[in-house]
Amino acid sequence: MEDKTQKKPFPLFELCLLVVQVVIIVFYAEYGTYGSEVDAQTNSSKQEINNSINLFYPFFQDVHVMIFVGFGFLMTFPYHYMWGAVGVNMLLASLVLQLSILTNSFWHQIWSKDYHDIELNIEKLITGDFVAGSSLIAFGAVLGRTTYMQTLVMGILLTIFFGLNETIGVLEYEAVDMGGSMFVHTFGAYFGVACSWALHLNRKVRVPAPKTTRYSDTFAMIGTLFLWMYWPSFNGALASGNSQHRVVVNTVFALAGSCLTAFVTSKIIHGKFVMGDIQNATLAGGVAVGSSADLVIGPYGALIVGCVAGFICVLGFTFVTPFLARLNIHDTCGVHNLHGLSGVLGGITGAISAAHAGDTTYGDDIGTVFPARANGGRSAAKQAGYQMAALGTTLAIAIAGGFFTGIVLRIMPVLEPSFDDSQEWEVEEDDKKEESIAMELPVIQHAGVLSMV
């Protein structure tokens, strides 16, 4: 029985975290200001009718639900780490949301040499959620194997590298990535996998597979359903007009296609449906169609992208995840399969779509979709080249930044044993007895790793 009188360690990290919060507050006090639609002095009753909050808030709320409910519950499949998954998910997202608005604005102003206060509005909150989503993807790669302290440090460093990559892609390459296939999903996945690689590099320590039960997998499936339903809002949150309408249609079709192929492929390969495949591969279409969601790819094109993504994702869980584990590169949630492979596919399809976008495809002004092509600035082929350059740069910065972050995390205490809530959460004795009973259950295959029935 745990000794309740045991002396508590000095809360050094917790105090440092409070200092970080104070620093963030100081930066917002010095450099943050309300945007024109938010400020009480400029927002009249006439402006309220056309205020962008009416357009963006429903999409923002959908994305918010995805970040805090969808991602949070999707990660609860490890039975002994359900609290850590959903709790640290909330903590990490809250920190990154605040910090990323500062870091993104910093990189944009440094790159453009245009220094000004940060105007806060609903669109800034949406972009903050996007960065939070990328950090949660990275968290999925190391889920259950890092302490909450290591996870928060990873999130802080990710926001810095994310801002740099997004600035290069948007300002230098003028690449278009409406749904974040490259800048959010690919970046987060390869950052997390590289971080996990560095964490276990040259360490001959057996990493146990997370154990799951029917109950924990059901909770994770709830996360999948929330993500599946709200993904069109994620891809189209910052679009407008006809583009936003196309995003919704294309994303729904891509998700439907990936759902069907995920079920079929899982059944063909394993003989039965594997829950890990279904929890993840059904979402692959939403990831893969992100870069081209606002383009005129046609409903058949969206279905093709979704079907291919679902197929590739299941293959990734079946073959790639075990192969990486043998190389001592552990990916708890299989983010490389859902967000990495699908994100790369999305970047490539976005480049192909850009190459085939004629000057009149989107009406009178192609610049409404590809700003760099406004007034005859770039050819379609050149735009496609910059789209691929953005994908390559994303992979390079994500892998380098993630590996560096993993090296930093190695100097910090690790979660031992892995996938154990009781290391950081107050767990009642009855819960521990229930877990000990669950430990006696047999193990079965779960998306490329071992888990319990």
Side-chain angles (χ1 to χ4, degrees), residues 46-307:
K46 292 183 179 180
Q47 289 176 311
E48 289 178 3
I49 299 175
N50 298 317
N51 196 303
S52 61
I53 192 74
N54 300 317
L55 169 65
F56 290 114
Y57 186 75
F59 285 85
F60 163 72
Q61 195 62 10
D62 289 352
V63 174
H64 225 44
V65 170
M66 291 179 67
I67 298 301
F68 289 93
V69 179
F71 278 106
F73 276 90
L74 179 60
M75 296 184 191
T76 58
F77 66 92
Y79 179 72
H80 299 98
Y81 197 68
M82 294 177 71
W83 289 3
V86 73
V88 176
N89 179 96
M90 183 179 186
L91 176 60
L92 176 62
S94 298
L95 174 63
V96 172
L97 172 62
Q98 302 174 61
L99 185 60
S100 63
I101 295 175
L102 295 174
T103 54
N104 278 17
S105 299
F106 167 80
W107 282 114
H108 277 241
Q109 293 185 28
I110 289 290
W111 202 271
S112 61
K113 295 181 174 59
D114 178 19
Y115 304 99
H116 52 79
D117 288 343
I118 302 170
E119 294 189 1
L120 297 173
N121 51 38
I122 190 69
E123 295 171 77
K124 281 287 197 302
L125 297 182
I126 292 173
T127 58
D129 264 355
F130 284 170
V131 186
S134 191
S135 72
L136 297 178
I137 293 168
F139 174 42
V142 298
L143 180 73
R145 294 180 286 111
T146 55
T147 64
Y148 93 95
M149 297 179 285
Q150 289 176 302
T151 302
L152 293 182
V153 170
M154 181 188 72
I156 292 172
L157 293 175
L158 179 141
T159 61
I160 297 172
F161 288 106
F162 182 101
L164 172 62
N165 179 67
E166 192 263 353
T167 299
I168 294 174
V170 172
L171 297 187
E172 183 66 23
Y173 298 151
E174 295 187 81
V176 174
D177 187 27
M178 179 59 67
S181 294
M182 297 183 292
F183 300 147
V184 176
H185 298 285
T186 301
F187 184 88
Y190 284 97
F191 188 99
V193 170
C195 181
S196 180
W197 175 30
L199 268 175
H200 299 286
L201 189 65
N202 298 326
R203 287 181 174 176
K204 296 181 179 180
V205 179
R206 182 181 178 274
V207 178
K211 296 179 174 61
T212 74
T213 68
R214 292 172 63 89
Y215 306 106
S216 63
D217 265 331
T218 300
F219 271 102
M221 192 65 193
I222 292 173
T224 296
L225 292 173
F226 269 98
L227 291 170
W228 199 89
M229 290 187 299
Y230 288 124
W231 212 290
S233 293
F234 188 95
N235 283 354
L238 293 177
S240 61
N242 292 347
S243 291
Q244 193 172 64
H245 209 149
R246 281 195 301 273
V247 170
V248 172
V249 172
N250 288 336
T251 304
V252 168
F253 269 66
L255 286 167
S258 64
C259 182
L260 189 145
T261 53
F263 273 91
V264 171
T265 307
S266 182
K267 185 69 164 58
I268 290 174
I269 292 178
H270 303 290
K272 293 183 178 181
F273 300 124
V274 173
M275 184 56 92
D277 292 339
I278 307 308
Q279 289 165 351
N280 293 276
T282 53
L283 303 171
V287 177
V289 82
S291 288
S292 56
D294 61 328
L295 307 180
V296 185
I297 59 176
Y300 73 93
L303 283 170
I304 291 173
V305 170
C307 289

Side-chain angles (χ1 to χ4, degrees), residues 22 45 72 129 182 362:
V22 170
S45 58
D129 264 355
M182 297 183 292
Y362 300 92

